[in-house]
Coordinates of all heavy atoms in Angstrom, one line a residue:
M1 N 104.7 95.3 108.3 CA 105.4 94.2 107.6 C 106.7 94.7 106.9 O 106.7 95.7 106.3 CB 104.5 93.5 106.6 CG 105.2 92.4 105.8 SD 104.1 91.6 104.6 CE 102.8 91.2 105.7
N2 N 107.8 94.0 107.1 CA 109.1 94.4 106.6 C 109.1 93.9 105.1 O 108.8 92.8 104.8 CB 110.2 93.8 107.3 CG 110.3 94.2 108.8 OD1 110.2 95.4 109.1 ND2 110.3 93.3 109.7
Q3 N 109.5 94.8 104.2 CA 109.7 94.5 102.8 C 111.2 94.5 102.5 O 111.9 95.4 103.0 CB 109.0 95.5 101.9 CG 107.5 95.5 102.1 CD 106.8 94.3 101.5 OE1 107.3 93.7 100.5 NE2 105.7 93.9 102.0
L4 N 111.7 93.6 101.7 CA 113.0 93.6 101.2 C 113.1 93.6 99.7 O 112.4 92.7 99.1 CB 113.7 92.3 101.8 CG 115.2 92.2 101.9 CD1 115.8 93.3 102.8 CD2 115.6 90.9 102.3
T5 N 113.8 94.5 99.1 CA 113.8 94.5 97.6 C 114.8 93.4 97.2 O 115.7 92.9 98.0 CB 114.3 95.8 97.1 OG1 115.7 96.0 97.5 CG2 113.5 97.0 97.6
P6 N 114.7 93.0 95.9 CA 115.6 92.0 95.4 C 117.1 92.5 95.6 O 118.0 91.7 95.9 CB 115.2 91.9 93.9 CG 113.8 92.1 94.0 CD 113.6 93.2 95.0
D7 N 117.3 93.7 95.3 CA 118.7 94.3 95.5 C 119.2 94.2 96.9 O 120.4 93.9 97.2 CB 118.8 95.7 95.0 CG 118.8 95.8 93.5 OD1 119.2 94.8 92.8 OD2 118.4 96.8 92.9
E8 N 118.3 94.5 97.9 CA 118.7 94.4 99.3 C 119.0 92.9 99.7 O 119.9 92.6 100.4 CB 117.6 94.9 100.2 CG 117.4 96.4 100.1 CD 116.2 97.0 100.8 OE1 115.1 96.3 100.8 OE2 116.3 98.1 101.4
L9 N 118.2 92.0 99.2 CA 118.4 90.6 99.4 C 119.7 90.1 98.8 O 120.5 89.4 99.4 CB 117.3 89.7 98.9 CG 117.5 88.2 99.1 CD1 117.7 87.8 100.6 CD2 116.3 87.4 98.6
K10 N 120.0 90.6 97.6 CA 121.3 90.2 97.0 C 122.4 90.7 97.8 O 123.5 90.1 98.0 CB 121.3 90.8 95.6 CG 120.4 90.0 94.6 CD 120.4 90.7 93.2 CE 119.4 89.9 92.4 NZ 119.2 90.5 91.0
N11 N 122.3 91.9 98.4 CA 123.3 92.4 99.3 C 123.5 91.6 100.5 O 124.6 91.3 101.0 CB 123.0 93.9 99.6 CG 124.2 94.6 100.4 OD1 125.3 94.5 99.9 ND2 123.9 95.1 101.5
W12 N 122.4 91.2 101.1 CA 122.4 90.3 102.3 C 123.2 89.0 102.0 O 124.0 88.6 102.7 CB 121.0 89.9 102.8 CG 120.3 91.0 103.6 CD1 120.6 92.3 103.6 CD2 119.2 90.8 104.4 NE1 119.7 93.0 104.5 CE2 118.8 92.0 105.0 CE3 118.5 89.6 104.8 CZ2 117.8 92.2 105.9 CZ3 117.4 89.8 105.7 CH2 117.1 91.1 106.2
L13 N 122.9 88.4 100.8 CA 123.6 87.2 100.4 C 125.1 87.4 100.2 O 125.9 86.7 100.6 CB 122.9 86.6 99.1 CG 121.5 86.1 99.3 CD1 120.8 85.9 97.9 CD2 121.5 84.8 100.1
K14 N 125.4 88.5 99.5 CA 126.8 88.9 99.2 C 127.6 89.1 100.4 O 128.8 88.7 100.5 CB 126.8 90.1 98.3 CG 128.1 90.6 97.9 CD 128.0 91.8 97.0 CE 129.4 92.5 96.8 NZ 129.2 93.8 96.0
T15 N 127.0 89.8 101.4 CA 127.7 90.1 102.7 C 127.7 89.0 103.7 O 128.3 89.2 104.8 CB 127.2 91.4 103.3 OG1 125.8 91.3 103.6 CG2 127.3 92.6 102.3
G16 N 127.0 88.0 103.5 CA 127.0 86.9 104.4 C 126.1 87.1 105.7 O 126.4 86.5 106.7
K17 N 125.1 88.0 105.5 CA 124.2 88.2 106.7 C 123.6 86.9 107.1 O 123.2 86.1 106.3 CB 123.1 89.2 106.3 CG 122.1 89.5 107.4 CD 121.2 90.6 107.0 CE 120.0 90.8 108.0 NZ 120.4 91.2 109.3
D18 N 123.4 86.8 108.4 CA 122.9 85.6 109.0 C 121.3 85.7 109.0 O 120.8 86.5 109.8 CB 123.4 85.4 110.5 CG 122.9 84.1 111.1 OD1 122.6 83.1 110.3 OD2 122.8 84.0 112.3
F19 N 120.7 84.9 108.1 CA 119.2 84.9 108.0 C 118.8 83.6 107.4 O 119.6 82.9 106.9 CB 118.7 86.1 107.2 CG 119.0 86.0 105.7 CD1 118.1 85.6 104.8 CD2 120.3 86.4 105.2 CE1 118.3 85.5 103.5 CE2 120.6 86.3 103.9 CZ 119.6 85.9 103.0
L20 N 117.5 83.4 107.5 CA 116.9 82.2 106.9 C 116.1 82.6 105.7 O 115.2 83.5 105.8 CB 116.0 81.5 108.0 CG 115.3 80.2 107.5 CD1 116.3 79.1 107.1 CD2 114.5 79.7 108.7
L21 N 116.3 81.9 104.6 CA 115.5 82.2 103.4 C 114.6 81.0 103.2 O 115.0 79.9 103.2 CB 116.5 82.3 102.2 CG 116.0 82.6 100.8 CD1 115.3 84.0 100.8 CD2 117.1 82.6 99.8
I22 N 113.3 81.3 103.0 CA 112.3 80.3 102.8 C 111.5 80.5 101.5 O 110.9 81.6 101.3 CB 111.3 80.2 104.0 CG1 112.1 79.9 105.3 CG2 110.3 79.1 103.8 CD1 111.3 79.9 106.5
D23 N 111.5 79.5 100.7 CA 110.7 79.5 99.5 C 109.3 78.8 99.8 O 109.3 77.6 100.2 CB 111.4 78.7 98.4 CG 110.7 78.6 97.0 OD1 109.5 79.0 97.0 OD2 111.3 78.2 96.1
I24 N 108.2 79.6 99.7 CA 106.9 79.0 100.1 C 106.1 78.5 98.9 O 105.0 78.1 99.1 CB 106.1 80.0 101.0 CG1 105.7 81.2 100.2 CG2 106.8 80.4 102.2 CD1 104.5 81.9 100.7
R25 N 106.7 78.5 97.7 CA 106.0 78.1 96.6 C 105.8 76.6 96.5 O 106.5 75.8 97.3 CB 106.7 78.5 95.3 CG 106.8 80.0 95.2 CD 107.7 80.5 94.1 NE 109.0 79.9 94.2 CZ 109.9 79.7 93.2 NH1 109.5 80.0 91.9 NH2 111.1 79.2 93.4
E26 N 105.0 76.1 95.6 CA 104.8 74.7 95.4 C 106.1 74.0 94.8 O 106.9 74.7 94.2 CB 103.6 74.4 94.5 CG 102.3 74.9 95.1 CD 101.9 74.2 96.4 OE1 102.2 73.0 96.6 OE2 101.4 75.0 97.3
T27 N 106.2 72.7 95.0 CA 107.4 72.0 94.5 C 107.7 72.3 93.0 O 108.8 72.5 92.6 CB 107.3 70.5 94.8 OG1 107.2 70.4 96.3 CG2 108.5 69.8 94.3
W28 N 106.6 72.2 92.2 CA 106.8 72.3 90.8 C 107.3 73.7 90.4 O 108.1 73.9 89.5 CB 105.5 72.0 90.0 CG 104.4 73.0 90.3 CD1 103.4 72.9 91.2 CD2 104.1 74.2 89.5 NE1 102.5 73.9 91.1 CE2 102.9 74.8 90.1 CE3 104.7 74.8 88.5 CZ2 102.4 75.9 89.6 CZ3 104.2 76.0 88.0 CH2 103.0 76.6 88.5
E29 N 106.9 74.8 91.2 CA 107.4 76.1 90.9 C 108.8 76.2 91.3 O 109.6 76.8 90.6 CB 106.6 77.1 91.8 CG 105.1 77.3 91.4 CD 104.4 78.2 92.4 OE1 104.1 77.8 93.5 OE2 104.2 79.3 92.0
R30 N 109.2 75.6 92.4 CA 110.6 75.7 92.9 C 111.5 75.0 91.9 O 112.7 75.4 91.6 CB 110.7 75.0 94.2 CG 112.2 75.1 94.8 CD 112.2 74.6 96.2 NE 113.5 74.5 96.8 CZ 114.2 75.5 97.3 NH1 113.7 76.7 97.3 NH2 115.4 75.2 97.8
E31 N 111.0 73.9 91.3 CA 111.8 73.1 90.3 C 112.1 73.9 89.1 O 113.2 73.8 88.4 CB 111.2 71.8 90.0 CG 111.2 70.8 91.1 CD 110.3 69.6 90.9 OE1 109.6 69.5 89.9 OE2 110.4 68.7 91.7
L32 N 111.2 74.8 88.7 CA 111.4 75.7 87.5 C 112.5 76.7 87.7 O 113.3 77.0 86.8 CB 110.1 76.4 87.1 CG 109.0 75.5 86.6 CD1 107.7 76.3 86.4 CD2 109.4 74.8 85.3
Y33 N 112.6 77.3 88.9 CA 113.5 78.4 89.2 C 113.5 78.7 90.7 O 112.4 78.8 91.3 CB 113.2 79.6 88.4 CG 114.2 80.7 88.6 CD1 115.4 80.7 87.9 CD2 114.0 81.8 89.5 CE1 116.4 81.7 88.1 CE2 115.0 82.8 89.7 CZ 116.1 82.8 89.0 OH 117.1 83.7 89.1
N34 N 114.6 78.8 91.3 CA 114.6 79.2 92.7 C 116.0 79.8 93.1 O 116.9 79.7 92.3 CB 114.3 78.0 93.7 CG 115.5 77.0 93.8 OD1 116.4 77.2 94.5 ND2 115.3 75.9 93.0
I35 N 116.0 80.5 94.2 CA 117.3 81.2 94.6 C 117.8 80.5 95.9 O 118.6 81.1 96.6 CB 117.0 82.7 94.8 CG1 115.9 83.0 95.8 CG2 116.8 83.4 93.5 CD1 115.8 84.4 96.2
G36 N 117.4 79.3 96.1 CA 117.9 78.6 97.3 C 117.1 78.8 98.5 O 115.9 79.2 98.5
G37 N 117.6 78.4 99.6 CA 117.0 78.5 100.9 C 116.1 77.3 101.2 O 116.1 76.3 100.4
E38 N 115.5 77.3 102.3 CA 114.6 76.2 102.7 C 113.4 76.2 101.8 O 112.9 77.2 101.4 CB 114.2 76.3 104.2 CG 115.3 76.3 105.2 CD 115.8 75.0 105.5 OE1 115.1 74.0 105.4 OE2 117.0 74.9 105.7
H39 N 112.8 75.0 101.6 CA 111.6 74.9 100.9 C 110.5 74.4 101.8 O 110.5 73.3 102.3 CB 111.7 73.9 99.7 CG 110.4 73.8 98.9 ND1 109.9 72.6 98.5 CD2 109.6 74.7 98.4 CE1 108.8 72.8 97.9 NE2 108.6 74.1 97.8
I40 N 109.6 75.3 102.2 CA 108.4 75.0 103.0 C 107.2 75.5 102.3 O 106.9 76.7 102.4 CB 108.5 75.6 104.4 CG1 109.8 75.1 105.1 CG2 107.3 75.1 105.3 CD1 110.0 75.7 106.5
P41 N 106.5 74.7 101.5 CA 105.3 75.2 100.8 C 104.3 75.9 101.8 O 104.2 75.5 102.9 CB 104.7 73.9 100.2 CG 105.8 73.0 100.1 CD 106.7 73.3 101.3
M42 N 103.6 76.9 101.3 CA 102.7 77.7 102.1 C 101.7 76.8 102.9 O 101.4 77.1 104.0 CB 102.0 78.7 101.2 CG 101.1 79.6 102.0 SD 100.5 80.9 100.9 CE 99.4 81.7 102.0
G43 N 101.2 75.7 102.3 CA 100.3 74.9 102.9 C 100.8 74.1 104.1 O 100.1 73.7 105.0
E44 N 102.2 74.0 104.2 CA 102.8 73.4 105.3 C 103.4 74.3 106.4 O 103.8 73.9 107.4 CB 104.0 72.5 104.8 CG 103.6 71.4 103.8 CD 104.8 70.7 103.3 OE1 105.9 70.7 103.9 OE2 104.6 70.0 102.2
L45 N 103.4 75.6 106.0 CA 104.1 76.5 106.9 C 103.6 76.6 108.3 O 104.4 76.6 109.2 CB 104.1 77.9 106.2 CG 105.1 79.0 106.7 CD1 106.5 78.5 106.6 CD2 104.9 80.3 106.0
S46 N 102.3 76.7 108.5 CA 101.8 76.9 109.9 C 102.1 75.7 110.7 O 102.5 75.8 111.9 CB 100.3 77.1 109.8 OG 100.0 78.3 109.3
G47 N 102.0 74.5 110.1 CA 102.3 73.2 110.8 C 103.8 73.1 111.1 O 104.2 72.3 112.0
R48 N 104.7 73.8 110.4 CA 106.1 73.6 110.6 C 106.7 74.9 111.2 O 107.9 75.0 111.3 CB 106.8 73.4 109.2 CG 106.4 72.0 108.7 CD 107.0 71.7 107.3 NE 108.4 71.7 107.4 CZ 109.2 71.6 106.3 NH1 108.7 71.4 105.1 NH2 110.5 71.6 106.4
A49 N 105.9 75.8 111.7 CA 106.3 77.0 112.3 C 107.3 76.8 113.5 O 108.2 77.6 113.7 CB 105.2 77.9 112.8
G50 N 107.1 75.7 114.2 CA 108.0 75.3 115.3 C 109.5 75.1 114.9 O 110.4 75.2 115.7
E51 N 109.7 74.9 113.6 CA 111.1 74.7 113.0 C 111.8 76.0 112.8 O 113.0 76.1 112.5 CB 111.0 73.9 111.7 CG 110.4 72.6 111.8 CD 110.2 71.9 110.4 OE1 111.0 72.3 109.5 OE2 109.3 71.1 110.2
L52 N 111.0 77.1 112.8 CA 111.6 78.4 112.5 C 112.1 79.2 113.7 O 111.4 79.2 114.8 CB 110.5 79.3 111.8 CG 109.8 78.7 110.6 CD1 108.7 79.6 110.1 CD2 110.8 78.4 109.5
P53 N 113.3 79.8 113.6 CA 113.8 80.6 114.7 C 113.1 81.9 114.9 O 112.7 82.5 113.9 CB 115.3 80.8 114.3 CG 115.2 80.9 112.8 CD 114.1 79.9 112.4
K54 N 113.0 82.3 116.1 CA 112.4 83.6 116.4 C 113.5 84.6 116.7 O 113.2 85.8 117.0 CB 111.4 83.5 117.6 CG 110.1 82.7 117.2 CD 109.0 82.9 118.3 CE 107.8 82.2 117.8 NZ 106.7 82.4 118.7
D55 N 114.7 84.2 116.7 CA 115.8 85.0 117.0 C 116.7 85.3 115.8 O 117.9 85.8 116.0 CB 116.7 84.4 118.2 CG 117.3 83.1 117.8 OD1 116.9 82.5 116.8 OD2 118.1 82.6 118.5
K56 N 116.2 85.1 114.6 CA 117.0 85.3 113.4 C 116.0 85.8 112.3 O 114.9 85.5 112.3 CB 117.6 83.9 112.9 CG 118.4 84.1 111.6 CD 118.8 82.7 111.1 CE 119.8 82.0 111.9 NZ 120.4 80.8 111.2
D57 N 116.5 86.8 111.5 CA 115.7 87.3 110.4 C 115.3 86.2 109.5 O 116.1 85.3 109.2 CB 116.4 88.4 109.7 CG 116.6 89.7 110.5 OD1 115.7 89.9 111.4 OD2 117.5 90.4 110.3
I58 N 114.1 86.2 109.0 CA 113.6 85.2 108.0 C 113.0 86.0 106.8 O 112.1 86.9 107.0 CB 112.5 84.4 108.7 CG1 113.0 83.6 109.9 CG2 111.9 83.4 107.7 CD1 111.9 82.9 110.7
V59 N 113.4 85.6 105.7 CA 112.9 86.2 104.4 C 112.1 85.1 103.7 O 112.6 84.0 103.5 CB 114.1 86.6 103.5 CG1 113.5 87.1 102.1 CG2 114.9 87.7 104.1
L60 N 110.8 85.4 103.4 CA 110.0 84.5 102.7 C 109.8 85.0 101.3 O 109.7 86.2 101.0 CB 108.6 84.4 103.4 CG 108.5 83.6 104.7 CD1 109.1 84.3 105.8 CD2 107.1 83.1 104.9
Y61 N 109.7 84.0 100.3 CA 109.5 84.4 99.0 C 108.6 83.5 98.3 O 108.5 82.3 98.6 CB 110.8 84.7 98.2 CG 111.6 83.4 97.8 CD1 111.4 82.8 96.6 CD2 112.6 82.9 98.6 CE1 112.1 81.7 96.2 CE2 113.4 81.9 98.3 CZ 113.1 81.2 97.0 OH 113.9 80.1 96.7
C62 N 107.8 84.0 97.3 CA 107.0 83.2 96.4 C 107.2 83.7 95.0 O 108.3 84.3 94.7 CB 105.5 83.4 96.9 SG 104.9 85.0 96.8
E63 N 106.2 83.6 94.1 CA 106.4 84.0 92.7 C 106.3 85.5 92.5 O 107.1 86.1 91.8 CB 105.5 83.3 91.8 CG 105.6 83.6 90.3 CD 107.0 83.2 89.8 OE1 107.7 82.3 90.3 OE2 107.5 83.9 88.9
K64 N 105.3 86.1 93.1 CA 105.1 87.6 92.9 C 105.1 88.4 94.2 O 104.9 89.6 94.2 CB 103.8 87.8 92.2 CG 103.7 87.2 90.8 CD 102.4 87.5 90.2 CE 102.4 86.8 88.8 NZ 101.0 86.9 88.2
G65 N 105.3 87.7 95.4 CA 105.3 88.4 96.7 C 103.9 88.6 97.3 O 103.8 89.3 98.3
I66 N 102.9 87.9 96.8 CA 101.6 88.0 97.3 C 101.3 86.9 98.4 O 100.9 87.2 99.5 CB 100.5 87.9 96.2 CG1 100.7 89.1 95.3 CG2 99.1 87.9 96.8 CD1 99.9 89.1 94.0
R67 N 101.6 85.7 98.0 CA 101.5 84.6 99.0 C 102.4 84.7 100.2 O 102.0 84.4 101.3 CB 101.7 83.2 98.3 CG 100.6 82.8 97.4 CD 101.0 81.5 96.7 NE 101.9 81.8 95.6 CZ 102.5 80.8 94.9 NH1 102.3 79.6 95.1 NH2 103.4 81.2 93.9
S68 N 103.6 85.3 99.9 CA 104.5 85.4 101.1 C 104.0 86.5 102.0 O 104.2 86.4 103.3 CB 105.9 85.8 100.6 OG 105.9 86.8 99.6
V69 N 103.2 87.5 101.6 CA 102.6 88.5 102.5 C 101.6 87.7 103.4 O 101.5 88.0 104.6 CB 101.9 89.6 101.7 CG1 101.0 90.4 102.6 CG2 103.0 90.5 101.1
I70 N 100.8 86.9 102.8 CA 99.8 86.1 103.5 C 100.4 85.2 104.5 O 100.0 85.2 105.7 CB 98.9 85.3 102.6 CG1 98.0 86.3 101.7 CG2 97.9 84.4 103.3 CD1 97.4 85.6 100.5
A71 N 101.5 84.6 104.1 CA 102.2 83.7 105.0 C 102.8 84.4 106.2 O 102.8 84.0 107.3 CB 103.3 82.9 104.2
I72 N 103.4 85.6 105.9 CA 104.0 86.4 107.0 C 102.9 86.9 107.9 O 103.1 86.8 109.2 CB 104.7 87.7 106.4 CG1 106.0 87.2 105.7 CG2 105.0 88.7 107.4 CD1 106.8 88.2 104.9
Q73 N 101.7 87.3 107.4 CA 100.6 87.6 108.3 C 100.2 86.5 109.3 O 100.0 86.7 110.5 CB 99.4 88.1 107.5 CG 99.6 89.4 106.8 CD 98.5 89.8 105.8 OE1 97.8 88.9 105.4 NE2 98.5 91.1 105.5
R74 N 100.2 85.3 108.7 CA 99.9 84.1 109.6 C 101.0 83.9 110.6 O 100.6 83.6 111.8 CB 99.7 82.9 108.7 CG 98.5 82.9 107.8 CD 98.4 81.7 107.0 NE 97.3 81.7 106.1 CZ 97.1 80.9 105.0 NH1 98.0 80.0 104.7 NH2 96.1 81.1 104.3
L75 N 102.2 84.0 110.2 CA 103.3 83.8 111.2 C 103.4 84.9 112.2 O 103.7 84.6 113.4 CB 104.7 83.7 110.5 CG 104.8 82.4 109.6 CD1 106.1 82.5 108.8 CD2 104.9 81.2 110.5
E76 N 103.1 86.1 111.8 CA 103.0 87.2 112.8 C 101.9 86.9 113.8 O 102.1 87.2 115.0 CB 102.8 88.6 112.1 CG 104.0 89.1 111.4 CD 103.7 90.3 110.6 OE1 102.5 90.6 110.2 OE2 104.7 91.1 110.3
G77 N 100.8 86.3 113.4 CA 99.8 85.9 114.4 C 100.2 84.9 115.3 O 99.6 84.7 116.4
M78 N 101.3 84.2 115.0 CA 101.9 83.2 115.9 C 103.0 83.7 116.7 O 103.7 82.9 117.4 CB 102.4 82.0 115.0 CG 101.3 81.3 114.2 SD 101.9 80.1 113.0 CE 101.6 78.6 113.9
G79 N 103.3 85.0 116.7 CA 104.3 85.6 117.5 C 105.6 85.9 116.8 O 106.5 86.4 117.5
F80 N 105.7 85.7 115.5 CA 107.0 86.0 114.8 C 107.0 87.5 114.5 O 106.0 88.1 114.1 CB 107.1 85.2 113.6 CG 107.4 83.7 113.8 CD1 106.4 82.8 114.0 CD2 108.7 83.3 113.8 CE1 106.7 81.5 114.2 CE2 109.0 82.0 114.0 CZ 108.0 81.1 114.2
C81 N 108.2 88.1 114.7 CA 108.3 89.6 114.3 C 109.6 89.8 113.6 O 109.9 91.0 113.3 CB 108.2 90.4 115.6 SG 109.5 90.0 116.8
N82 N 110.2 88.8 113.1 CA 111.5 88.9 112.5 C 111.4 88.5 111.0 O 112.3 88.0 110.4 CB 112.5 88.0 113.1 CG 112.0 86.6 113.3 OD1 110.8 86.3 113.3 ND2 113.0 85.6 113.3
L83 N 110.3 88.9 110.4 CA 110.0 88.4 109.0 C 110.1 89.5 108.0 O 109.7 90.7 108.2 CB 108.5 87.9 109.0 CG 108.2 86.8 110.1 CD1 106.7 86.6 110.2 CD2 109.0 85.5 109.8
F84 N 110.6 89.1 106.8 CA 110.7 90.0 105.7 C 110.1 89.4 104.4 O 110.3 88.2 104.2 CB 112.2 90.3 105.4 CG 112.9 91.1 106.4 CD1 113.3 90.5 107.6 CD2 113.1 92.4 106.3 CE1 114.0 91.2 108.6 CE2 113.7 93.2 107.3 CZ 114.2 92.5 108.4
N85 N 109.4 90.2 103.7 CA 108.8 89.7 102.4 C 109.7 90.2 101.3 O 110.1 91.3 101.2 CB 107.4 90.3 102.2 CG 106.8 89.9 100.9 OD1 106.7 88.7 100.6 ND2 106.4 90.9 100.1
L86 N 110.1 89.3 100.4 CA 110.8 89.6 99.2 C 109.9 90.3 98.2 O 109.0 89.7 97.6 CB 111.5 88.4 98.5 CG 112.2 88.7 97.2 CD1 113.4 89.7 97.5 CD2 112.8 87.4 96.6
S87 N 110.0 91.6 98.1 CA 109.1 92.4 97.3 C 109.2 92.0 95.8 O 110.3 91.8 95.3 CB 109.5 93.9 97.3 OG 109.4 94.4 98.6
G88 N 108.0 91.7 95.2 CA 108.0 91.2 93.9 C 108.3 89.8 93.7 O 108.2 89.3 92.5
G89 N 108.7 89.1 94.7 CA 109.0 87.6 94.6 C 110.0 87.3 93.6 O 110.9 88.1 93.2
M90 N 109.9 86.1 93.0 CA 110.8 85.6 92.0 C 110.7 86.4 90.7 O 111.7 86.7 90.0 CB 110.5 84.1 91.6 CG 111.0 83.2 92.7 SD 112.8 83.1 92.9 CE 113.1 84.5 93.9
K91 N 109.5 86.9 90.4 CA 109.4 87.8 89.3 C 110.2 89.0 89.4 O 111.0 89.4 88.5 CB 107.9 88.2 89.1 CG 107.6 89.0 87.8 CD 106.1 89.3 87.7 CE 105.7 90.0 86.5 NZ 106.3 91.3 86.2
G92 N 110.2 89.7 90.6 CA 111.0 90.9 90.8 C 112.5 90.5 90.8 O 113.3 91.3 90.3
W93 N 112.8 89.4 91.4 CA 114.2 89.0 91.4 C 114.8 88.8 90.0 O 115.9 89.3 89.7 CB 114.3 87.6 92.2 CG 115.7 87.1 92.2 CD1 116.3 86.2 91.3 CD2 116.7 87.2 93.3 NE1 117.6 85.9 91.7 CE2 117.8 86.5 92.9 CE3 116.7 87.9 94.5 CZ2 118.9 86.4 93.7 CZ3 117.8 87.9 95.3 CH2 118.9 87.1 94.9
R94 N 114.0 88.1 89.1 CA 114.5 87.9 87.7 C 114.6 89.2 87.0 O 115.5 89.4 86.1 CB 113.6 86.9 87.0 CG 113.7 85.5 87.5 CD 113.0 84.5 86.6 NE 111.6 84.7 86.6 CZ 110.7 84.1 87.5 NH1 111.2 83.2 88.3 NH2 109.4 84.3 87.4
E95 N 113.7 90.2 87.3 CA 113.8 91.5 86.6 C 114.9 92.3 87.0 O 115.3 93.3 86.3 CB 112.4 92.2 86.8 CG 111.3 91.6 86.1 CD 109.9 92.2 86.5 OE1 109.9 93.1 87.4 OE2 108.9 91.8 85.9
T96 N 115.6 92.1 88.1 CA 116.7 92.9 88.6 C 118.1 92.3 88.2 O 119.1 92.8 88.6 CB 116.7 93.1 90.1 OG1 116.8 91.9 90.8 CG2 115.4 93.9 90.5
R97 N 118.1 91.2 87.5 CA 119.3 90.5 87.1 C 120.2 91.3 86.2 O 119.9 92.2 85.5 CB 119.1 89.2 86.5 CG 118.6 88.2 87.5 CD 118.2 86.9 87.1 NE 118.9 86.4 85.9 CZ 118.4 85.3 85.2 NH1 117.4 84.6 85.7 NH2 119.0 84.9 84.1

């Protein structure tokens, strides 16, 4: 599984790298704080996997980076190999500001 640190993600955003960012947290969590990207709650992710590109890097994030690991494992089982987990999730992102 590919891991991406908050600093690496910030660099991707700064340099305009072409990738998809997905927040898999619940709506109430996203409303409190988010860094943008698509919002596909973890419970909907498997059913919406057909919306995701297999030819572009995808970064998934949650609050601490645990749920996103589980989500990535599920997507890998569906044939995705272009997935990155935001290490530490939103907690890690806020700590590097």
Side-chain angles (χ1 to χ4, degrees):
M1 176 177 307
N2 298 308
Q3 296 287 334
L4 198 65
T5 67
D7 286 335
E8 289 170 326
L9 178 56
K10 288 175 184 180
N11 188 53
W12 281 21
L13 292 166
K14 181 181 169 186
T15 61
K17 180 175 172 56
D18 185 27
F19 70 99
L20 179 61
L21 181 64
I22 301 176
D23 182 349
I24 65 159
R25 299 174 302 155
E26 298 299 323
T27 300
W28 68 268
E29 292 175 285
R30 183 174 173 83
E31 289 171 352
L32 293 174
Y33 183 81
N34 72 80
I35 57 172
E38 299 283 329
H39 180 227
I40 304 177
M42 185 171 174
E44 299 176 18
L45 194 59
S46 293
R48 295 179 59 185
E51 300 173 27
L52 306 178
K54 289 192 174 183
D55 61 348
K56 180 188 288 191
D57 290 334
I58 301 173
V59 178
L60 283 80
Y61 72 91
C62 61
E63 184 58 32
K64 297 180 183 173
I66 297 168
R67 285 176 285 176
S68 50
V69 165
I70 295 166
I72 287 172
Q73 290 170 340
R74 291 179 184 166
L75 290 172
E76 286 175 337
M78 301 170 99
F80 287 87
C81 59
N82 53 333
L83 307 169
F84 293 80
N85 179 52
L86 177 59
S87 299
M90 288 292 80
K91 184 177 185 303
W93 178 273
R94 287 190 296 266
E95 291 172 353
T96 62
R97 288 178 23 194

